[in-house]
Amino acid sequence: MPLISAGFNRRYVENSNMMACYNELLQLHHGEIRAQIKLRACNAVFTALEQSQEAIEISSEDQIIQYVNPAYECIMGYQRGELLKENTEVPKSEKNKPDLLDNISSCIHRGKEWQGVYYAKKKNGDSVQQNVKMTPVVGQGGKVRHCVSVNRPLNDHNKTEKPCERVQAESQTDIQQFSKHKDRRKGSLDVRSTTSRGSDAGSSQRRHSSMARIHSMTIEAPITKVINIINAAQESSPMPVAEALDRVLEILRTTELYSPQLGTNEEDPHTNDLVGGLMTDGLRRLSGNEYIFASKQLHHIPSHLTTPLSLNDIPPCIAQTMENEDSWDFDIFSLESATMKRPLLFLGLKIFSRFGVCEFLNCPEATLRSWLQILEANYHSSNSYHNSSHAADVLHATAYFLCKERVKQSLDPIDEVAALIAAAVHDVDHPGRTNSFLCNAGSDLAILYNDTAVLESHHAALAFQITTRDDKCNIFKNMERNEYRTLRQAVIDMVLATEMTKHFEHVNKFVNSINKPLAALEENEGSGDEDSVKNILTAPENRMLVKRMLIKCADISNPCRPLELCVEWAGRISEEYFAQTDEEKQQGLPVVMPVFDRNTCSIPKSQISFIDYFITDMFDAWDAFADLPNLMQHLDNNFKYWKGLDEQKLRSLRPPE
């Protein structure tokens, strides 16, 4: 008897077989031992239920109440233990439709969870609308023996409805819509931060007083409206939800909502250096030996360059090279060679003619020709990457994207012209050094633009300077004033969008404002209602996002080009970074990207990091919008190429012969 009462209720004959002993132990564990452990935990489980802020009700298969916690009793107006009298059925409200009750009953009996809005009946007979989650519990014999309901009131009918509660109700649909279309990236809710805060009455008071202050504001920015909605939602939320929303509010009050918080990864110095070099403005402590970037005079048209009079005068060998310029696989390097490093002039004439830019601007072709020539003269042919071939390449990609149906639906003719001009001018007078370098060196440009978007500001400003200073190349001369201002603003905005410090802001805004709403329409209505799609595509702020995304993708589309072009561009940008590192060491400046040392750098690793960090997500989003399967195939092929070289421990552009 002492053995039986201690739990030894099975007789086991001694056995030398190891597996037989092991199986016996397993049976003991899955039988009596596990059941006893569960029974011992019951007190702790019910203590947790008693303390829960959520209203919890447990009923039998016959809907007889077995247990309710204090939160449930409080919300429903019952005294302690009043509902636990023998055979008390779950109170039902007449406001629920019969088919809803049948649906819930059917779900529970089939062992499926049900969640939705349900009217519960309070003690005084009033009905309270609740967000309810009902979970069936399978018992002996594999049948549903109990049902656990977790209830949260949508509003409190005992209180006078407040404006903030109306806002909450109005925003409910928005919240549900948002939750349907979660980003492909995993969420980043920090559970520890939401549960580690105090939950005393003092914090609740502070929340209510801060909400009152926010509601007293008369001028509301969109972010203020969002904060108001969240504050309103907190009023009727259980404490854990309210604390989580506090954490949300903390994040919303930061200034950089769309930029990820970049942590360092010691194992991937290539990504660290790329992020540091491309996404900061070089605000680092200067060394004693400061390098002042030489101020330059504007370039004028070299007299020895021969210029075609019109499209018809383009030499046959150059015209032949441009025959397939409307194809994504167009070889810009063949054009560079055929034009003796003047591809922007010839490709610009061809593309601007195809899009009717002269007709739109009401300018003669000779003016456009002069403009393209002086623009190209202000690109540095000594740069291995940021030269006029890169500008021509970006112009080509921009023209290609502008022909995509979704893009055409979104943009007006003035947007198309602005995009082509922005592409042509976006890197004019680029010194072949990054913003970080210029800031660290204390260059004239960095001082002029206060270390903020230095190069991009310079490109945009210089483009308009060289255009408007001489009537012979002023393509804007005959434009109506308001139209010119609109065009100018669009060009400036697009050029500034090529700055990498706001890369994630632009991509995330595009995804959240355009891709997700379009996906929601397609999900809800098949192909999506045409008017609704048009409203999304042509909203002024969305057109701006499309233009920014378009030029950003065109600017760094190298990894999506055919392999040979991709490899050539990778070699050129690497050489430019190598030259910068050499100069930083020579001048005693901080080395912005230490991995780009020509003696030790692995080009495949740098390309893999660039694709992983900057390219993949952006082109996934752009492909979802514009439908670019050929680009995505090239990207996949190129990534595999760089991975293959890296796996062979090669640091070069190409495998050995």
PDB file of all heavy atoms in Angstrom, residues 557-590:
ATOM      1  N   SER A 557      20.694  49.538 -60.578  1.00  0.00           N
ATOM      2  CA  SER A 557      20.149  48.348 -61.242  1.00  0.00           C
ATOM      3  C   SER A 557      21.232  47.387 -61.732  1.00  0.00           C
ATOM      4  O   SER A 557      20.911  46.358 -62.315  1.00  0.00           O
ATOM      5  CB  SER A 557      19.272  48.761 -62.437  1.00  0.00           C
ATOM      6  OG  SER A 557      20.067  49.420 -63.416  1.00  0.00           O
ATOM      7  N   ASN A 558      22.509  47.723 -61.492  1.00  0.00           N
ATOM      8  CA  ASN A 558      23.599  46.883 -62.022  1.00  0.00           C
ATOM      9  C   ASN A 558      23.458  45.390 -61.704  1.00  0.00           C
ATOM     10  O   ASN A 558      23.676  44.553 -62.585  1.00  0.00           O
ATOM     11  CB  ASN A 558      24.962  47.366 -61.501  1.00  0.00           C
ATOM     12  CG  ASN A 558      25.190  48.850 -61.701  1.00  0.00           C
ATOM     13  OD1 ASN A 558      25.916  49.465 -60.949  1.00  0.00           O
ATOM     14  ND2 ASN A 558      24.552  49.446 -62.700  1.00  0.00           N
ATOM     15  N   PRO A 559      23.072  45.020 -60.455  1.00  0.00           N
ATOM     16  CA  PRO A 559      22.949  43.586 -60.161  1.00  0.00           C
ATOM     17  C   PRO A 559      21.803  42.897 -60.914  1.00  0.00           C
ATOM     18  O   PRO A 559      21.706  41.672 -60.893  1.00  0.00           O
ATOM     19  CB  PRO A 559      22.692  43.546 -58.652  1.00  0.00           C
ATOM     20  CG  PRO A 559      23.225  44.845 -58.142  1.00  0.00           C
ATOM     21  CD  PRO A 559      22.933  45.831 -59.234  1.00  0.00           C
ATOM     22  N   CYS A 560      20.936  43.689 -61.573  1.00  0.00           N
ATOM     23  CA  CYS A 560      19.816  43.112 -62.324  1.00  0.00           C
ATOM     24  C   CYS A 560      20.076  43.123 -63.830  1.00  0.00           C
ATOM     25  O   CYS A 560      19.190  42.792 -64.615  1.00  0.00           O
ATOM     26  CB  CYS A 560      18.528  43.869 -62.027  1.00  0.00           C
ATOM     27  SG  CYS A 560      18.038  43.808 -60.305  1.00  0.00           S
ATOM     28  N   ARG A 561      21.286  43.505 -64.221  1.00  0.00           N
ATOM     29  CA  ARG A 561      21.656  43.495 -65.635  1.00  0.00           C
ATOM     30  C   ARG A 561      22.193  42.114 -66.011  1.00  0.00           C
ATOM     31  O   ARG A 561      22.517  41.309 -65.137  1.00  0.00           O
ATOM     32  CB  ARG A 561      22.743  44.552 -65.894  1.00  0.00           C
ATOM     33  CG  ARG A 561      22.287  46.000 -65.718  1.00  0.00           C
ATOM     34  CD  ARG A 561      21.410  46.437 -66.857  1.00  0.00           C
ATOM     35  NE  ARG A 561      21.117  47.874 -66.809  1.00  0.00           N
ATOM     36  CZ  ARG A 561      20.348  48.485 -67.684  1.00  0.00           C
ATOM     37  NH1 ARG A 561      19.776  47.812 -68.672  1.00  0.00           N
ATOM     38  NH2 ARG A 561      20.115  49.791 -67.596  1.00  0.00           N
ATOM     39  N   PRO A 562      22.305  41.814 -67.330  1.00  0.00           N
ATOM     40  CA  PRO A 562      22.931  40.552 -67.735  1.00  0.00           C
ATOM     41  C   PRO A 562      24.313  40.413 -67.101  1.00  0.00           C
ATOM     42  O   PRO A 562      24.991  41.414 -66.814  1.00  0.00           O
ATOM     43  CB  PRO A 562      23.024  40.686 -69.257  1.00  0.00           C
ATOM     44  CG  PRO A 562      21.898  41.598 -69.616  1.00  0.00           C
ATOM     45  CD  PRO A 562      21.787  42.573 -68.485  1.00  0.00           C
ATOM     46  N   LEU A 563      24.743  39.169 -66.868  1.00  0.00           N
ATOM     47  CA  LEU A 563      25.938  38.873 -66.072  1.00  0.00           C
ATOM     48  C   LEU A 563      27.165  39.678 -66.473  1.00  0.00           C
ATOM     49  O   LEU A 563      27.833  40.279 -65.629  1.00  0.00           O
ATOM     50  CB  LEU A 563      26.249  37.374 -66.140  1.00  0.00           C
ATOM     51  CG  LEU A 563      27.481  36.924 -65.344  1.00  0.00           C
ATOM     52  CD1 LEU A 563      27.317  37.226 -63.863  1.00  0.00           C
ATOM     53  CD2 LEU A 563      27.742  35.441 -65.555  1.00  0.00           C
ATOM     54  N   GLU A 564      27.484  39.739 -67.775  1.00  0.00           N
ATOM     55  CA  GLU A 564      28.705  40.425 -68.196  1.00  0.00           C
ATOM     56  C   GLU A 564      28.661  41.913 -67.856  1.00  0.00           C
ATOM     57  O   GLU A 564      29.662  42.507 -67.450  1.00  0.00           O
ATOM     58  CB  GLU A 564      28.942  40.232 -69.704  1.00  0.00           C
ATOM     59  CG  GLU A 564      29.707  38.957 -70.035  1.00  0.00           C
ATOM     60  CD  GLU A 564      30.978  38.794 -69.194  1.00  0.00           C
ATOM     61  OE1 GLU A 564      31.817  39.711 -69.187  1.00  0.00           O
ATOM     62  OE2 GLU A 564      31.125  37.767 -68.517  1.00  0.00           O
ATOM     63  N   LEU A 565      27.483  42.531 -68.021  1.00  0.00           N
ATOM     64  CA  LEU A 565      27.340  43.943 -67.670  1.00  0.00           C
ATOM     65  C   LEU A 565      27.446  44.132 -66.155  1.00  0.00           C
ATOM     66  O   LEU A 565      28.103  45.060 -65.673  1.00  0.00           O
ATOM     67  CB  LEU A 565      25.995  44.485 -68.168  1.00  0.00           C
ATOM     68  CG  LEU A 565      25.691  44.340 -69.667  1.00  0.00           C
ATOM     69  CD1 LEU A 565      24.352  44.984 -70.001  1.00  0.00           C
ATOM     70  CD2 LEU A 565      26.793  44.978 -70.507  1.00  0.00           C
ATOM     71  N   CYS A 566      26.807  43.225 -65.412  1.00  0.00           N
ATOM     72  CA  CYS A 566      26.847  43.273 -63.945  1.00  0.00           C
ATOM     73  C   CYS A 566      28.288  43.185 -63.440  1.00  0.00           C
ATOM     74  O   CYS A 566      28.705  43.950 -62.566  1.00  0.00           O
ATOM     75  CB  CYS A 566      26.004  42.124 -63.376  1.00  0.00           C
ATOM     76  SG  CYS A 566      26.218  41.832 -61.613  1.00  0.00           S
ATOM     77  N   VAL A 567      29.060  42.256 -64.008  1.00  0.00           N
ATOM     78  CA  VAL A 567      30.451  42.061 -63.582  1.00  0.00           C
ATOM     79  C   VAL A 567      31.291  43.300 -63.897  1.00  0.00           C
ATOM     80  O   VAL A 567      32.103  43.748 -63.075  1.00  0.00           O
ATOM     81  CB  VAL A 567      31.043  40.799 -64.251  1.00  0.00           C
ATOM     82  CG1 VAL A 567      32.548  40.701 -64.000  1.00  0.00           C
ATOM     83  CG2 VAL A 567      30.340  39.545 -63.737  1.00  0.00           C
ATOM     84  N   GLU A 568      31.078  43.877 -65.075  1.00  0.00           N
ATOM     85  CA  GLU A 568      31.838  45.079 -65.454  1.00  0.00           C
ATOM     86  C   GLU A 568      31.539  46.235 -64.500  1.00  0.00           C
ATOM     87  O   GLU A 568      32.448  46.924 -64.034  1.00  0.00           O
ATOM     88  CB  GLU A 568      31.495  45.476 -66.893  1.00  0.00           C
ATOM     89  CG  GLU A 568      32.157  46.759 -67.373  1.00  0.00           C
ATOM     90  CD  GLU A 568      33.672  46.685 -67.472  1.00  0.00           C
ATOM     91  OE1 GLU A 568      34.217  45.564 -67.589  1.00  0.00           O
ATOM     92  OE2 GLU A 568      34.316  47.751 -67.423  1.00  0.00           O
ATOM     93  N   TRP A 569      30.264  46.452 -64.194  1.00  0.00           N
ATOM     94  CA  TRP A 569      29.913  47.528 -63.271  1.00  0.00           C
ATOM     95  C   TRP A 569      30.493  47.265 -61.880  1.00  0.00           C
ATOM     96  O   TRP A 569      30.940  48.204 -61.196  1.00  0.00           O
ATOM     97  CB  TRP A 569      28.396  47.688 -63.174  1.00  0.00           C
ATOM     98  CG  TRP A 569      27.747  48.370 -64.346  1.00  0.00           C
ATOM     99  CD1 TRP A 569      26.757  47.873 -65.146  1.00  0.00           C
ATOM    100  CD2 TRP A 569      28.017  49.695 -64.841  1.00  0.00           C
ATOM    101  NE1 TRP A 569      26.404  48.786 -66.110  1.00  0.00           N
ATOM    102  CE2 TRP A 569      27.164  49.919 -65.945  1.00  0.00           C
ATOM    103  CE3 TRP A 569      28.904  50.698 -64.463  1.00  0.00           C
ATOM    104  CZ2 TRP A 569      27.164  51.110 -66.661  1.00  0.00           C
ATOM    105  CZ3 TRP A 569      28.910  51.886 -65.184  1.00  0.00           C
ATOM    106  CH2 TRP A 569      28.057  52.086 -66.263  1.00  0.00           C
ATOM    107  N   ALA A 570      30.472  46.017 -61.437  1.00  0.00           N
ATOM    108  CA  ALA A 570      31.024  45.674 -60.116  1.00  0.00           C
ATOM    109  C   ALA A 570      32.510  46.014 -60.052  1.00  0.00           C
ATOM    110  O   ALA A 570      33.006  46.538 -59.046  1.00  0.00           O
ATOM    111  CB  ALA A 570      30.805  44.193 -59.821  1.00  0.00           C
ATOM    112  N   GLY A 571      33.222  45.728 -61.140  1.00  0.00           N
ATOM    113  CA  GLY A 571      34.645  46.058 -61.191  1.00  0.00           C
ATOM    114  C   GLY A 571      34.873  47.558 -61.124  1.00  0.00           C
ATOM    115  O   GLY A 571      35.792  48.040 -60.448  1.00  0.00           O
ATOM    116  N   ARG A 572      34.009  48.312 -61.802  1.00  0.00           N
ATOM    117  CA  ARG A 572      34.189  49.773 -61.848  1.00  0.00           C
ATOM    118  C   ARG A 572      33.900  50.433 -60.498  1.00  0.00           C
ATOM    119  O   ARG A 572      34.645  51.317 -60.066  1.00  0.00           O
ATOM    120  CB  ARG A 572      33.279  50.366 -62.926  1.00  0.00           C
ATOM    121  CG  ARG A 572      33.707  49.973 -64.341  1.00  0.00           C
ATOM    122  CD  ARG A 572      32.882  50.702 -65.393  1.00  0.00           C
ATOM    123  NE  ARG A 572      33.352  50.370 -66.753  1.00  0.00           N
ATOM    124  CZ  ARG A 572      33.166  51.152 -67.809  1.00  0.00           C
ATOM    125  NH1 ARG A 572      32.516  52.293 -67.680  1.00  0.00           N
ATOM    126  NH2 ARG A 572      33.609  50.792 -68.994  1.00  0.00           N
ATOM    127  N   ILE A 573      32.824  50.020 -59.842  1.00  0.00           N
ATOM    128  CA  ILE A 573      32.525  50.639 -58.543  1.00  0.00           C
ATOM    129  C   ILE A 573      33.569  50.245 -57.515  1.00  0.00           C
ATOM    130  O   ILE A 573      33.968  51.047 -56.665  1.00  0.00           O
ATOM    131  CB  ILE A 573      31.089  50.293 -58.058  1.00  0.00           C
ATOM    132  CG1 ILE A 573      30.696  51.165 -56.851  1.00  0.00           C
ATOM    133  CG2 ILE A 573      30.948  48.824 -57.693  1.00  0.00           C
ATOM    134  CD1 ILE A 573      30.595  52.631 -57.127  1.00  0.00           C
ATOM    135  N   SER A 574      34.058  49.007 -57.598  1.00  0.00           N
ATOM    136  CA  SER A 574      35.101  48.566 -56.666  1.00  0.00           C
ATOM    137  C   SER A 574      36.360  49.396 -56.849  1.00  0.00           C
ATOM    138  O   SER A 574      36.992  49.818 -55.872  1.00  0.00           O
ATOM    139  CB  SER A 574      35.407  47.078 -56.871  1.00  0.00           C
ATOM    140  OG  SER A 574      34.266  46.292 -56.620  1.00  0.00           O
ATOM    141  N   GLU A 575      36.731  49.657 -58.096  1.00  0.00           N
ATOM    142  CA  GLU A 575      37.927  50.461 -58.370  1.00  0.00           C
ATOM    143  C   GLU A 575      37.770  51.870 -57.799  1.00  0.00           C
ATOM    144  O   GLU A 575      38.719  52.435 -57.243  1.00  0.00           O
ATOM    145  CB  GLU A 575      38.181  50.527 -59.883  1.00  0.00           C
ATOM    146  CG  GLU A 575      39.361  51.408 -60.293  1.00  0.00           C
ATOM    147  CD  GLU A 575      40.653  51.064 -59.556  1.00  0.00           C
ATOM    148  OE1 GLU A 575      40.963  49.875 -59.385  1.00  0.00           O
ATOM    149  OE2 GLU A 575      41.358  52.017 -59.147  1.00  0.00           O
ATOM    150  N   GLU A 576      36.574  52.429 -57.888  1.00  0.00           N
ATOM    151  CA  GLU A 576      36.347  53.772 -57.345  1.00  0.00           C
ATOM    152  C   GLU A 576      36.477  53.773 -55.827  1.00  0.00           C
ATOM    153  O   GLU A 576      37.064  54.690 -55.242  1.00  0.00           O
ATOM    154  CB  GLU A 576      34.970  54.278 -57.774  1.00  0.00           C
ATOM    155  CG  GLU A 576      34.908  55.795 -57.866  1.00  0.00           C
ATOM    156  CD  GLU A 576      33.672  56.275 -58.608  1.00  0.00           C
ATOM    157  OE1 GLU A 576      33.707  56.342 -59.857  1.00  0.00           O
ATOM    158  OE2 GLU A 576      32.670  56.590 -57.934  1.00  0.00           O
ATOM    159  N   TYR A 577      35.944  52.735 -55.187  1.00  0.00           N
ATOM    160  CA  TYR A 577      36.073  52.628 -53.731  1.00  0.00           C
ATOM    161  C   TYR A 577      37.529  52.378 -53.327  1.00  0.00           C
ATOM    162  O   TYR A 577      37.991  52.891 -52.303  1.00  0.00           O
ATOM    163  CB  TYR A 577      35.167  51.519 -53.185  1.00  0.00           C
ATOM    164  CG  TYR A 577      33.684  51.840 -53.223  1.00  0.00           C
ATOM    165  CD1 TYR A 577      32.730  50.821 -53.166  1.00  0.00           C
ATOM    166  CD2 TYR A 577      33.227  53.149 -53.304  1.00  0.00           C
ATOM    167  CE1 TYR A 577      31.372  51.109 -53.192  1.00  0.00           C
ATOM    168  CE2 TYR A 577      31.872  53.449 -53.331  1.00  0.00           C
ATOM    169  CZ  TYR A 577      30.945  52.426 -53.276  1.00  0.00           C
ATOM    170  OH  TYR A 577      29.607  52.716 -53.305  1.00  0.00           O
ATOM    171  N   PHE A 578      38.240  51.573 -54.119  1.00  0.00           N
ATOM    172  CA  PHE A 578      39.667  51.339 -53.828  1.00  0.00           C
ATOM    173  C   PHE A 578      40.427  52.665 -53.862  1.00  0.00           C
ATOM    174  O   PHE A 578      41.255  52.949 -52.996  1.00  0.00           O
ATOM    175  CB  PHE A 578      40.287  50.376 -54.842  1.00  0.00           C
ATOM    176  CG  PHE A 578      39.758  48.969 -54.788  1.00  0.00           C
ATOM    177  CD1 PHE A 578      39.855  48.127 -55.893  1.00  0.00           C
ATOM    178  CD2 PHE A 578      39.158  48.471 -53.645  1.00  0.00           C
ATOM    179  CE1 PHE A 578      39.373  46.836 -55.860  1.00  0.00           C
ATOM    180  CE2 PHE A 578      38.667  47.174 -53.592  1.00  0.00           C
ATOM    181  CZ  PHE A 578      38.774  46.356 -54.707  1.00  0.00           C
ATOM    182  N   ALA A 579      40.156  53.467 -54.899  1.00  0.00           N
ATOM    183  CA  ALA A 579      40.853  54.750 -55.060  1.00  0.00           C
ATOM    184  C   ALA A 579      40.539  55.676 -53.880  1.00  0.00           C
ATOM    185  O   ALA A 579      41.420  56.399 -53.399  1.00  0.00           O
ATOM    186  CB  ALA A 579      40.442  55.397 -56.381  1.00  0.00           C
ATOM    187  N   GLN A 580      39.287  55.634 -53.395  1.00  0.00           N
ATOM    188  CA  GLN A 580      38.924  56.464 -52.241  1.00  0.00           C
ATOM    189  C   GLN A 580      39.690  56.019 -51.001  1.00  0.00           C
ATOM    190  O   GLN A 580      40.229  56.857 -50.263  1.00  0.00           O
ATOM    191  CB  GLN A 580      37.416  56.394 -51.980  1.00  0.00           C
ATOM    192  CG  GLN A 580      37.004  57.131 -50.707  1.00  0.00           C
ATOM    193  CD  GLN A 580      35.511  57.292 -50.567  1.00  0.00           C
ATOM    194  OE1 GLN A 580      34.838  57.729 -51.499  1.00  0.00           O
ATOM    195  NE2 GLN A 580      34.969  56.950 -49.398  1.00  0.00           N
ATOM    196  N   THR A 581      39.755  54.719 -50.773  1.00  0.00           N
ATOM    197  CA  THR A 581      40.488  54.197 -49.612  1.00  0.00           C
ATOM    198  C   THR A 581      41.963  54.578 -49.702  1.00  0.00           C
ATOM    199  O   THR A 581      42.573  54.974 -48.695  1.00  0.00           O
ATOM    200  CB  THR A 581      40.325  52.664 -49.522  1.00  0.00           C
ATOM    201  OG1 THR A 581      38.937  52.350 -49.394  1.00  0.00           O
ATOM    202  CG2 THR A 581      41.065  52.100 -48.326  1.00  0.00           C
ATOM    203  N   ASP A 582      42.543  54.465 -50.900  1.00  0.00           N
ATOM    204  CA  ASP A 582      43.954  54.866 -51.087  1.00  0.00           C
ATOM    205  C   ASP A 582      44.143  56.329 -50.686  1.00  0.00           C
ATOM    206  O   ASP A 582      45.095  56.676 -49.984  1.00  0.00           O
ATOM    207  CB  ASP A 582      44.379  54.689 -52.554  1.00  0.00           C
ATOM    208  CG  ASP A 582      44.443  53.221 -52.969  1.00  0.00           C
ATOM    209  OD1 ASP A 582      44.487  52.359 -52.065  1.00  0.00           O
ATOM    210  OD2 ASP A 582      44.443  52.950 -54.188  1.00  0.00           O
ATOM    211  N   GLU A 583      43.212  57.193 -51.144  1.00  0.00           N
ATOM    212  CA  GLU A 583      43.354  58.622 -50.866  1.00  0.00           C
ATOM    213  C   GLU A 583      43.143  58.927 -49.392  1.00  0.00           C
ATOM    214  O   GLU A 583      43.820  59.788 -48.822  1.00  0.00           O
ATOM    215  CB  GLU A 583      42.385  59.426 -51.735  1.00  0.00           C
ATOM    216  CG  GLU A 583      42.610  60.922 -51.621  1.00  0.00           C
ATOM    217  CD  GLU A 583      41.857  61.724 -52.666  1.00  0.00           C
ATOM    218  OE1 GLU A 583      41.220  61.124 -53.556  1.00  0.00           O
ATOM    219  OE2 GLU A 583      41.911  62.966 -52.584  1.00  0.00           O
ATOM    220  N   GLU A 584      42.191  58.232 -48.773  1.00  0.00           N
ATOM    221  CA  GLU A 584      41.962  58.445 -47.338  1.00  0.00           C
ATOM    222  C   GLU A 584      43.214  58.127 -46.535  1.00  0.00           C
ATOM    223  O   GLU A 584      43.593  58.873 -45.618  1.00  0.00           O
ATOM    224  CB  GLU A 584      40.781  57.583 -46.864  1.00  0.00           C
ATOM    225  CG  GLU A 584      39.425  58.125 -47.297  1.00  0.00           C
ATOM    226  CD  GLU A 584      38.296  57.117 -47.148  1.00  0.00           C
ATOM    227  OE1 GLU A 584      38.565  55.899 -47.145  1.00  0.00           O
ATOM    228  OE2 GLU A 584      37.135  57.555 -47.058  1.00  0.00           O
ATOM    229  N   LYS A 585      43.866  57.016 -46.886  1.00  0.00           N
ATOM    230  CA  LYS A 585      45.098  56.648 -46.177  1.00  0.00           C
ATOM    231  C   LYS A 585      46.202  57.667 -46.442  1.00  0.00           C
ATOM    232  O   LYS A 585      46.937  58.060 -45.533  1.00  0.00           O
ATOM    233  CB  LYS A 585      45.538  55.248 -46.613  1.00  0.00           C
ATOM    234  CG  LYS A 585      44.622  54.138 -46.108  1.00  0.00           C
ATOM    235  CD  LYS A 585      45.065  52.769 -46.612  1.00  0.00           C
ATOM    236  CE  LYS A 585      44.168  51.671 -46.074  1.00  0.00           C
ATOM    237  NZ  LYS A 585      44.533  50.331 -46.609  1.00  0.00           N
ATOM    238  N   GLN A 586      46.292  58.088 -47.689  1.00  0.00           N
ATOM    239  CA  GLN A 586      47.336  59.040 -48.075  1.00  0.00           C
ATOM    240  C   GLN A 586      47.146  60.384 -47.376  1.00  0.00           C
ATOM    241  O   GLN A 586      48.112  61.022 -46.951  1.00  0.00           O
ATOM    242  CB  GLN A 586      47.306  59.222 -49.597  1.00  0.00           C
ATOM    243  CG  GLN A 586      48.361  60.173 -50.141  1.00  0.00           C
ATOM    244  CD  GLN A 586      48.141  60.444 -51.626  1.00  0.00           C
ATOM    245  OE1 GLN A 586      47.410  59.712 -52.306  1.00  0.00           O
ATOM    246  NE2 GLN A 586      48.779  61.472 -52.134  1.00  0.00           N
ATOM    247  N   GLN A 587      45.880  60.838 -47.234  1.00  0.00           N
ATOM    248  CA  GLN A 587      45.588  62.146 -46.657  1.00  0.00           C
ATOM    249  C   GLN A 587      45.402  62.092 -45.135  1.00  0.00           C
ATOM    250  O   GLN A 587      45.170  63.117 -44.507  1.00  0.00           O
ATOM    251  CB  GLN A 587      44.312  62.723 -47.287  1.00  0.00           C
ATOM    252  CG  GLN A 587      44.393  62.960 -48.786  1.00  0.00           C
ATOM    253  CD  GLN A 587      45.315  64.116 -49.134  1.00  0.00           C
ATOM    254  OE1 GLN A 587      45.592  64.976 -48.297  1.00  0.00           O
ATOM    255  NE2 GLN A 587      45.797  64.137 -50.368  1.00  0.00           N
ATOM    256  N   GLY A 588      45.456  60.903 -44.551  1.00  0.00           N
ATOM    257  CA  GLY A 588      45.256  60.776 -43.112  1.00  0.00           C
ATOM    258  C   GLY A 588      43.820  60.987 -42.683  1.00  0.00           C
ATOM    259  O   GLY A 588      43.533  61.430 -41.570  1.00  0.00           O
ATOM    260  N   LEU A 589      42.882  60.681 -43.577  1.00  0.00           N
ATOM    261  CA  LEU A 589      41.452  60.809 -43.267  1.00  0.00           C
ATOM    262  C   LEU A 589      40.909  59.501 -42.708  1.00  0.00           C
ATOM    263  O   LEU A 589      41.494  58.433 -42.928  1.00  0.00           O
ATOM    264  CB  LEU A 589      40.680  61.170 -44.545  1.00  0.00           C
ATOM    265  CG  LEU A 589      40.954  62.547 -45.144  1.00  0.00           C
ATOM    266  CD1 LEU A 589      40.341  62.638 -46.537  1.00  0.00           C
ATOM    267  CD2 LEU A 589      40.395  63.639 -44.253  1.00  0.00           C
ATOM    268  N   PRO A 590      39.767  59.551 -41.988  1.00  0.00           N
ATOM    269  CA  PRO A 590      39.139  58.291 -41.556  1.00  0.00           C
ATOM    270  C   PRO A 590      38.821  57.424 -42.775  1.00  0.00           C
ATOM    271  O   PRO A 590      38.321  57.939 -43.776  1.00  0.00           O
ATOM    272  CB  PRO A 590      37.851  58.754 -40.876  1.00  0.00           C
ATOM    273  CG  PRO A 590      38.066  60.184 -40.523  1.00  0.00           C
ATOM    274  CD  PRO A 590      38.994  60.741 -41.555  1.00  0.00           C
TER     275      PRO A 590
END
